[in-house]
Amino acid sequence: MTKGANTALPPLGDGGGSFVARLGWSSASGEGDCDVSVLLLRENGKVGGNDDFYFYNHPVAADGSVQVLGQTPTDNGSEDRIRLDLSALPAAVERVVIAASRYRRAGFGELQDLRLTLTGASGEDLVGFALVGATVESAVVFAEIYRRAGEWKFRAIGQGYETGLAGLATDYGIEIDEDDDQDVPPQSASAAEAAEPGEAAEVAETASTDAPQELSAPAAPVLALPTPSPSPPAPQPRRLRTAKKKTKLPKAPAKPSLAENDEWRPARLFPLSSLKSDKDREVRATSILLSVMAQVPEFGRRLTAAFGAPAGRMETFTEVVLPNSDRPRRPDGIIRVERAGRLWTALVETKTNGNPLRAEQVRDYLDIAVRRGYEAVITLSNDVALDGSPLVEVNPDARRKNKVALWHLSWADVTHQAQMLIHHEGVRQEPHAWLLQELLHYLQHENSGCHGFQNMGADWVSVRNGIDDETLVPGDPRAVRVVESWERLIRQVCLRLGGELGEKVVPVQRAKRGTDPQSRRTALAKSLCEDGRLHAEIKIDGAPGPLHLTADLRLSRLRMSIEVRAADQGYPLTWVKRLMKQLAAAPADLHVETLMRGEVPGPRGTLDKLRPEPADLLPGSGRGFSGEITGFRLSLSRTLGSTRGNAASGFIRSVDSAIDVFHRGVITNVS
């Protein structure tokens, strides 16, 4: 659609009225994001109150009419989604405004391919609107859905605001405390008492800050007791905050252990010592995960939102028997979510250790889900799913296509989401955080079988041998499968680092737009056959640039490097001295290279030799030179696992260890 155009939406009868608004974008650098929001307007063009504004701090309507589903990566970038149920809207709502904003008033001009798509209940795209020409606008009204003559219509708008989310919301009657850059004073008792219970995430919260907080003892109450007075103070209007929450659960003060000696181990909610077989591990891991999902709303929602599940009451089940002709089937688990009287159901099939998913089993569950009207089948294993490379080939019946969705979770995804919630983003209740901590302890224990991707595949040994004896030729399908295993490993590294750091960590794909994933992997496999190397890039938020990885299988070496830009001002000698100071704790064998304009080779050396003589990094006479230095490349090489088996004890663990050393000793010091 073009700006200003409008079109009618399908009627609300026969289960209609449910839509998903998807705001998509991409960026050349992989940086930047934006957040979609919704305002419900009355006849006067204003909201009825602050509760009619739905965004990241106020995600769900009590009547189920609006649900903020959150962000998810796509093949070409990212998208943020909101589910709308027009049939559940109050009769007084005349317009639904769909807007978007960028945090800390960053401009939409920094993003590419901005587009809003409205999808129907059956999954088909109904209308779309692309935003072009954006520059400094930090908030945009993309579209509105409005009532006209008894039907709902969609209009593309594209109105920008330089004043951000606060400016946009204020125009529609929202009371805003815009504190993206600073804290606000403590909320008064009268204002807090005016809020409904459970609204701590939506109304002005005094404990929230923009910067991550360290775990600490529980904070003192922030609400003062009301002082006696002849008459109660007048209620103050609630004000919404635009700052994203960065709260973490307070940690109880450390106390001396009551154990007699170090051999005593604390009792755990989920014990592991009794696990004897893979079946035991599968049954226990499934039951533990599903029970925690049902008890911790933030966690359950985080894992199911990307699969199209609504926000609602969740229940989970194990040991369920489902009829299947003369052979009843027993899925490992079932997830059910209720919203506004409607049920969303997913069957769960789980594998632990290196056990693969079986295609015939998944096909059976898809057939059962179709016959029973369920929405999804979710597989869960240590394998990491890749675009264009399914873990199981199910070949669904064309007549049943799109009726039941097939999704995959890796145990690394589950661990990542638990880490993000309890270490960086926080949960609302302390017992819920304790449950997540127990779950995390279970998943990370060596006996759980939930360790993530640990096997480079059946072709790994033969490909490495073929590289050594130069018999591996381009076009060998084994090389493509090794490239896929390498990509799975990199994606898992990103999940692990992201969970530990609380930052966005993603693989960088340099393929041209429009190139399908399998063609890209074929090209990487050809390169592997020719030079015996695997390549990858990782984007870490806050790092000066992407982390470049090269695994040389001929030399059994992993090379990691990152480039640091030179300062815009100052003298070159000052730059190199500052760099040496930043790298004081870096490994002595770190290789430092000066980058010159025009790709002219610059001076280089190892850190142990450069520390006493930083000027050796300067070209020519050194101290008086200021013209051609553009930055510095920091590189570190480590030995890869010598074991030729496909277990994690060789290659995978050595990659994990090397990246940890480089990130901890180098990247964190120059970021």
Side-chain angles (χ1 to χ4, degrees), residues 122-154:
S122 59
E124 78 280 12
D125 292 345
L126 301 177
V127 292
F129 171 55
L131 182 69
V132 295
T135 55
V136 298
E137 298 86 354
S138 53
V140 173
V141 174
F142 272 80
E144 65 177 7
I145 300 173
Y146 60 99
R147 299 182 196 261
R148 181 64 54 84
E151 67 175 4
W152 287 97
K153 304 188 75 174
F154 178 95

Side-chain angles (χ1 to χ4, degrees), residues 593-663:
E593 176 186 358
T594 303
L595 302 178
M596 310 291 294
R597 195 175 307 279
E599 299 184 359
V600 176
R604 63 192 70 188
T606 55
L607 202 56
D608 57 341
K609 296 180 180 178
L610 292 171
R611 280 170 175 154
E613 295 292 341
D616 287 349
L617 278 175
L618 301 180
S621 58
R623 290 171 173 78
F625 185 88
S626 62
E628 299 295 327
I629 296 178
T630 61
F632 304 93
R633 180 181 292 117
L634 313 177
S635 306
L636 189 66
S637 181
R638 285 290 182 266
T639 302
L640 290 171
S642 58
T643 303
R644 288 303 179 92
N646 48 25
S649 57
F651 182 78
I652 293 178
R653 286 186 180 172
S654 59
V655 170
D656 277 334
S657 176
I659 291 175
D660 285 345
V661 168
F662 190 73
H663 182 268

Side-chain angles (χ1 to χ4, degrees), residues 74-267:
T74 65
D75 288 345
N76 296 325
S78 300
E79 67 178 25
D80 196 13
R81 298 161 301 138
I82 283 185
R83 186 182 298 277
L84 303 170
D85 188 348
L86 302 184
S87 63
L89 286 173
V93 174
E94 294 291 328
R95 280 196 291 158
V96 178
V97 171
I98 304 174
S101 60
R102 298 204 62 202
Y103 194 43
R104 295 188 181 275
R105 295 195 181 180
F108 272 92
E110 299 173 2
L111 302 179
Q112 302 169 357
D113 303 320
L114 284 159
R115 60 210 177 275
L116 180 75
T117 305
L118 196 67
T119 301
S122 59
E124 78 280 12
D125 292 345
L126 301 177
V127 292
F129 171 55
L131 182 69
V132 295
T135 55
V136 298
E137 298 86 354
S138 53
V140 173
V141 174
F142 272 80
E144 65 177 7
I145 300 173
Y146 60 99
R147 299 182 196 261
R148 181 64 54 84
E151 67 175 4
W152 287 97
K153 304 188 75 174
F154 178 95
R155 177 184 291 122
I157 296 179
Q159 176 186 348
Y161 289 76
E162 294 184 31
T163 49
L165 183 62
L168 181 152
T170 302
D171 270 6
Y172 291 102
I174 300 292
E175 295 290 334
I176 285 289
D177 273 334
E178 184 181 24
D179 57 350
D180 287 349
D181 299 309
Q182 58 185 358
D183 293 335
V184 292
Q187 180 186 5
S188 68
S190 57
E193 290 165 356
E196 294 295 327
E199 289 184 333
E202 293 84 23
V203 301
E205 298 175 0
T206 59
S208 176
T209 63
D210 293 332
Q213 304 170 14
E214 294 298 322
L215 294 176
S216 59
V222 297
L223 301 181
L225 293 174
T227 56
S229 60
S231 59
Q236 300 295 318
R238 289 193 300 116
R239 298 174 68 86
L240 295 177
R241 293 184 60 183
T242 60
K244 291 185 179 180
K245 294 191 304 174
K246 283 289 187 181
T247 58
K248 294 183 292 185
L249 185 74
K251 183 180 179 181
K255 296 180 180 179
S257 173
L258 301 181
E260 287 185 3
N261 55 63
D262 293 341
E263 294 182 357
W264 287 21
R265 295 288 181 263

Side-chain angles (χ1 to χ4, degrees), residues 5 44 161 178 192 219 245 262 270 325 380-381 507 538 542 556 564:
N44 63 357
Y161 289 76
E178 184 181 24
K245 294 191 304 174
D262 293 341
F270 309 126
S325 64
L380 177 61
S381 73
I538 295 176
S556 291
V564 181

Side-chain angles (χ1 to χ4, degrees), residues 360-380:
E360 63 275 12
Q361 207 171 25
V362 176
R363 280 195 295 267
D364 285 346
Y365 290 142
L366 285 170
D367 290 340
I368 292 173
V370 169
R371 290 198 296 270
R372 303 186 71 85
Y374 297 162
E375 284 75 13
V377 172
I378 299 172
T379 58
L380 177 61

